[in-house]
Amino acid sequence: MGKDDISVVTSVLCGFVRNRVDDWEGDLSMDMVSLMYGPQERSWQTKANCMGVDPDLFFPERGASTREAKEVCRGCVVREDCLEYALANGEKFGIWGGLSERERRRLRRQRAMQRRTTASAS
């Protein structure tokens, strides 16, 4: 994912860009998340603490602190929705739902192990 892709995702996540992108065929309008992932329920984004926060905060350079971004997420009422969105869409970059890429990978592995354990117990 390039820097421009991260900016688009950040803009959509944080609500900075409400602009539409003209579809190349027929001048139809589509928002960027729908363009990238297909139509999904995202009304939770309007309630997010990250609305109005600099998107770069959620996509720190490798090795940079994630503390400030996680602080924004800490008391957010849609933190779980954000995290589940990131997990469902395989977001590999940035802080989503208060978790870093590494923390989301760990959570995915834990959930997969739980599913296997549950399935083998049945």
Side-chain angles (χ1 to χ4, degrees):
M1 181 175 271
K3 185 89 170 150
D4 290 336
D5 295 328
I6 290 172
S7 295
V8 167
V9 172
T10 306
S11 296
V12 172
L13 168 68
C14 297
F16 289 111
V17 176
R18 298 286 181 211
N19 297 343
R20 302 287 185 192
V21 175
D22 287 336
D23 185 16
W24 294 109
E25 306 208 4
D27 281 339
L28 298 174
S29 288
M30 298 179 70
D31 66 77
M32 291 304 291
V33 172
S34 294
L35 189 62
M36 292 170 67
Y37 302 115
Q40 298 178 13
E41 170 56 42
R42 292 183 310 277
S43 61
W44 56 267
Q45 290 178 336
T46 62
K47 301 174 193 126
N49 282 358
C50 59
M51 294 286 285
V53 176
D54 182 359
D56 289 338
L57 183 68
F58 298 93
F59 294 90
E61 296 294 323
R62 184 173 296 281
S65 175
T66 60
R67 191 179 81 249
E68 288 181 58
K70 289 179 177 184
E71 209 41 53
V72 171
C73 297
R74 178 168 285 135
C76 186
V77 297
V78 296
R79 181 176 177 192
E80 286 296 317
D81 294 309
C82 181
L83 176 59
E84 292 305 321
Y85 175 86
L87 293 171
N89 290 289
E91 290 295 341
K92 291 185 171 91
F93 301 97
I95 305 300
W96 292 78
L99 298 184
S100 67
E101 306 95 274
R102 180 179 293 156
E103 293 164 327
R104 289 192 306 278
R105 278 194 306 272
R106 187 178 311 129
L107 180 59
R108 273 191 217 98
R109 284 193 301 269
Q110 289 172 347
R111 287 182 178 184
M113 286 177 58
Q114 287 173 341
R115 282 191 302 272
R116 284 192 296 268
T117 302
T118 303
S120 65
S122 301

